[in-house]
């Protein structure tokens, strides 16, 4: 009976919600276009989340010194200011790069970083532009897959690092793994968690069935736009999270004008194969399958409806990878099982997993 109810929910209720969201989104876009006819659009700009929004995070484990960099892009121009955590010995032989996804920030790794630094590793955790303590464009059109990839490449160049273990989840994987493909000289190991390399495809019943949870999430984000209720997204996604933790995830976004990056990222996931992002994802799959020969740890949780089954995709690309299932964790497994995950990564680096 429970299984039947689940099937009804998945194949009847969820598609109806998706359809409703799409209809409401179209109505919203029509209203917005009408409003734009009578109101001049504000000039493009970059904004910075006030520092007071981040006060008190020490009480929930975010005790790290902030670092900032203005990455040059040529012609005397720079990207919006990027914030990052840089903990542990600066001359450490092992460097761990932790990449967050949507709509989180480096706060997500606060339980894991002390485990790594205790082992003598250097840990670097940037906030992508539009997230965390990094600056934010106020318009969605500024955000692209190429922007985030360029930011990461320039960031690694600026730090002058090598022998990096990449730890990635969600869009941290969709961004980080293509950068591994483009610039493999930075990296020595990969830790792939609750993410994917979506290449889009021709629709079929089986593929539609698998895509329903993500399409539902994408439709909701598309409908809400910059009104995305980040606090309640995490309240739904995390297990037994305290209000102070939910406040911390919401802290980078004081109002709707700060949420353009969070509103855009889910819409960049390719649904069809004839998009530039899908092509980049396919090239990354080929790279992992044919060219990447260094160690890989595939570590997915057992309670993530968004990326369920993608661990098998990565295992097909890297059949000799080490695999580990994290039990009792959802999509943001760093939050639910951070210390456990970090201990597995330490064992992986030491060749004991």
């Amino acid at each position: 009976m429970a299984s039947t109810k689940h099937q009804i929910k998945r194949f009847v209720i969820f598609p109806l919600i998706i359809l409703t969201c799409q209809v409401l989104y179209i109505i919203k876009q029509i209203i917005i276009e009408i409003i734009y006819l009578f109101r001049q659009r504000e000039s493009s700009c970059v904004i910075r989340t006030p520092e007071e929004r981040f006060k008190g995070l020490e009480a929930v484990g975010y005790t790290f010194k902030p670092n900032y960099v203005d990455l040059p892009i040529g012609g005397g121009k720079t990207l919006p200011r990027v914030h990052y955590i840089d903990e542990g010995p600066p001359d450490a032989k092992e460097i761990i790069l932790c990449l967050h996804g949507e709509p989180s920030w480096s706060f997500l790794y606060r339980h894991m970083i002390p485990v790594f630094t205790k082992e003598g590793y250097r840990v670097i955790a940037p906030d992508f532009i539009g997230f965390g303590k990094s600056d934010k464009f106020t318009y969605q059109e500024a955000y692209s897959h190429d922007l985030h990839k360029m930011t990461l490449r320039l960031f690694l160049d600026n730090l002058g690092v090598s022998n990096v273990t990449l730890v990635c989840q969600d869009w941290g994987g969709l961004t980080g793994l293509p950068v591994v493909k483009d610039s493999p000289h930075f990296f020595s190991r990969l830790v792939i968690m609750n993410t994917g390399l979506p290449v889009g495809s021709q629709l079929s019943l089986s593929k539609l069935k698998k895509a329903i949870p993500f399409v539902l999430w994408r439709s909701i984000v598309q409908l809400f736009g910059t009104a995305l209720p980040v606090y309640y997204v995490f309240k739904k996604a995390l297990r037994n999270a305290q209000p102070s933790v939910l406040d911390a995830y919401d802290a980078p976004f004081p109002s709707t004008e700060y949420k353009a990056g969070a509103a855009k990222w889910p819409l960049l996931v390719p649904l069809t194969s004839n998009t530039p992002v899908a092509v980049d994802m396919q090239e990354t799959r080929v790279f992992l399958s044919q060219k990447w020969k260094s160690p890989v740890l595939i570590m997915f949780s057992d309670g993530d409806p968004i990326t369920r089954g993608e661990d098998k995709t990565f295992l097909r690309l890297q059949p000799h990878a080490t695999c580990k299932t994290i039990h009792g964790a959802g999509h943001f497994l760093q939050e639910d099982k951070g210390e456990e995950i970090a201990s597995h990564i330490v064992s992986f680096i030491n060749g004991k997993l």
Side-chain angles (χ1 to χ4, degrees):
M1 180 63 70
S3 177
T4 302
K5 289 182 179 179
H6 178 75
Q7 293 295 328
I8 292 174
K9 186 177 182 181
R10 192 178 184 93
F11 297 111
V12 179
I13 297 177
F14 282 176
L16 283 176
I17 295 174
I18 292 170
L19 179 60
T20 301
C21 287
Q22 291 301 309
V23 171
L24 291 174
Y25 172 72
I26 292 171
I27 294 173
K28 184 187 81 169
Q29 291 302 107
I30 293 172
I31 294 173
I32 289 174
E33 290 300 321
I34 293 173
I35 292 174
Y36 278 171
L37 289 175
F38 299 96
R39 187 183 72 182
Q40 185 175 1
R41 183 173 176 172
E42 297 178 358
S43 59
S44 303
C45 63
V46 174
I47 56 177
R48 184 168 297 167
T49 301
E51 187 59 34
E52 56 264 27
R53 291 280 298 182
F54 301 103
K55 287 184 177 179
L57 295 186
E58 297 83 1
V60 286
Y62 193 81
T63 59
F64 315 109
K65 174 187 173 183
N67 300 274
Y68 298 96
V69 62
D70 296 299
L71 297 168
I73 55 176
K77 298 293 184 179
T78 64
L79 289 173
R81 191 179 73 167
V82 172
H83 165 263
Y84 63 102
I85 294 169
D86 193 343
E87 296 285 315
D91 59 348
K93 293 182 179 180
E94 295 288 351
I95 299 173
I96 300 178
L97 175 67
C98 300
L99 298 184
H100 71 83
E102 158 79 11
S104 59
W105 57 294
S106 54
F107 179 80
L108 181 65
Y109 285 96
R110 72 194 183 283
H111 297 311
M112 300 172 62
I113 292 171
V115 177
F116 296 146
T117 55
K118 185 178 179 181
E119 295 292 325
Y121 304 157
R122 180 182 177 187
V123 188
I124 301 167
D127 295 333
F128 283 104
I129 293 171
F131 298 85
K133 293 185 176 184
S134 290
D135 287 353
K136 298 160 183 71
F137 290 109
T138 58
Y139 52 105
Q140 292 189 45
E141 295 86 348
Y143 293 96
S144 68
H145 180 54
D146 285 337
L147 168 73
H148 293 308
K149 286 203 306 174
M150 176 177 67
T151 301
L152 185 54
R153 289 196 305 267
L154 292 174
F155 177 70
L156 293 172
D157 270 336
N158 181 269
L159 292 177
V161 294
S162 60
N163 193 35
V164 172
T165 296
L166 172 65
V167 178
C168 59
Q169 178 258 347
D170 193 83
W171 262 103
L174 276 73
T175 303
L177 294 173
V179 170
V180 174
K181 177 252 304 176
D182 295 338
S183 306
H185 60 280
F186 289 121
F187 302 96
S188 58
R189 300 179 196 85
L190 306 178
V191 179
I192 302 171
M193 311 185 302
N194 285 11
T195 187
L197 288 172
V199 297
S201 61
Q202 299 297 320
L203 289 180
S204 67
L205 186 59
S206 61
K207 291 177 181 177
L208 183 61
K209 172 184 173 182
K210 184 179 178 181
I212 281 177
F214 171 74
V215 175
L216 175 61
W217 159 243
R218 187 183 190 277
S219 298
I220 291 172
V221 173
Q222 190 177 42
L223 175 61
F224 275 98
T226 55
L228 182 70
V230 173
Y231 181 99
Y232 292 100
V233 168
F234 280 99
K235 185 176 182 179
K236 178 68 175 177
L238 301 184
R239 303 189 175 198
N240 304 314
Q242 298 299 313
S244 56
V245 171
L246 301 176
D247 285 336
Y249 281 112
D250 194 48
F253 312 111
S255 67
T256 57
E257 65 178 338
Y258 292 82
K259 298 181 184 180
K264 185 62 179 290
W265 228 352
L267 308 185
L268 294 176
V269 177
L271 298 180
T272 62
S273 57
N274 59 343
T275 65
V277 177
V279 171
D280 194 37
M281 297 295 165
Q282 179 59 43
E283 290 175 351
T284 304
R285 288 189 178 203
V286 172
F287 170 83
L288 289 177
S289 176
Q290 299 182 5
K291 297 183 179 180
W292 181 261
K293 305 301 180 184
S294 298
V296 177
L297 170 60
I298 301 169
M299 190 159 49
F300 278 52
S301 66
D302 62 354
D304 180 16
I306 304 298
T307 64
R308 181 180 289 123
E310 289 304 306
D311 52 338
K312 297 181 178 62
T313 299
F314 283 109
L315 188 57
R316 286 194 294 270
L317 299 174
Q318 281 283 315
H320 301 295
T322 302
C323 292
K324 190 76 177 178
T325 299
I326 303 301
H327 298 282
H331 182 62
F332 297 101
L333 67 173
Q334 305 98 311
E335 182 70 43
D336 296 328
K337 298 285 184 175
E339 293 182 1
E340 176 185 332
I341 292 167
S343 67
H344 290 320
I345 293 172
V346 170
S347 297
F348 170 64
I349 291 174
N350 292 329
K352 296 179 180 180
L353 189 64

